[in-house]
Amino acid sequence: MSFFAIALMLCVLWSCNLWSVKLGKVIELTQRVEKFIIFPNNIKQFFMSRIKYIIFLLLLILPFSVGYPAFASVCRNYAVYDGLRHQICIFSISRSAKNYWEYKAIVSVDGIKRPTEVYNCRERVKVQQAGTVLPFEEKGPGEMICSFFNSSRR
């Protein structure tokens, strides 16, 4: 029964987002909860003497129980010509709903992040933010995006 009271108290704390409440307030809340529930004395004394340790343990476990999102980028190394290599990474990419051959992407070349550009795989051009239309560079990000995500060219 005492375990039920502690679980109920933790549910109240969780739902009310009161994790920042001081330990004294937590014990006070536990005493209020146990007034409404009848416990055998030995179980009650066991949990009440260890409530600080139980709460401390739960607070230690809580940060590790949350899954954080993973951020990964797709990177490729390209040899442009003898001795010169480029590392091209795609940080973010989205396909156009209207024109399936267009991709809006944020890439980096050799660690230098570029602003968002629209890569047109049909016409083999990229459109920069200012509206400038440039052809794809040889073994550049445009070719990587189109070859990586266009299954008809594999």
Side-chain angles (χ1 to χ4, degrees), residues 67-109:
Y68 295 102
F71 296 104
S73 58
V74 177
C75 294
R76 296 284 187 266
N77 290 318
Y78 286 102
V80 179
Y81 57 85
D82 292 337
L84 182 64
R85 300 181 72 71
H86 286 303
Q87 181 185 33
I88 301 170
C89 296
I90 301 172
F91 288 111
S92 137
I93 187 164
S94 63
R95 188 176 185 176
S96 170
K98 185 177 179 184
N99 303 323
Y100 65 88
W101 58 87
E102 287 185 353
Y103 295 92
K104 187 182 286 188
I106 299 174
V107 298
S108 75
V109 178

Side-chain angles (χ1 to χ4, degrees), residues 21-90:
V21 174
K22 294 180 182 173
L23 190 57
K25 295 282 187 180
V26 172
I27 293 172
E28 184 180 316
L29 182 62
T30 306
Q31 290 170 350
R32 286 184 193 168
V33 168
E34 71 181 13
K35 286 180 184 176
F36 296 106
I37 301 171
I38 300 169
F39 304 108
N41 278 338
N42 56 355
I43 296 174
K44 179 178 167 183
Q45 289 173 352
F46 174 78
F47 281 108
M48 289 310 294
S49 65
R50 289 169 176 79
I51 190 76
K52 294 176 188 176
Y53 302 111
I54 292 170
I55 291 174
F56 180 72
L57 183 67
L58 289 174
L59 289 176
L60 278 178
I61 294 172
L62 184 67
F64 297 108
S65 65
V66 177
Y68 295 102
F71 296 104
S73 58
V74 177
C75 294
R76 296 284 187 266
N77 290 318
Y78 286 102
V80 179
Y81 57 85
D82 292 337
L84 182 64
R85 300 181 72 71
H86 286 303
Q87 181 185 33
I88 301 170
C89 296
I90 301 172

Side-chain angles (χ1 to χ4, degrees), residues 124-143:
R124 315 291 289 168
V125 296
K126 69 177 177 181
V127 181
Q128 295 178 327
Q129 280 185 335
T132 309
V133 178
L134 299 172
F136 284 172
E137 302 163 10
E138 186 176 335
K139 295 186 180 177
E143 286 187 4

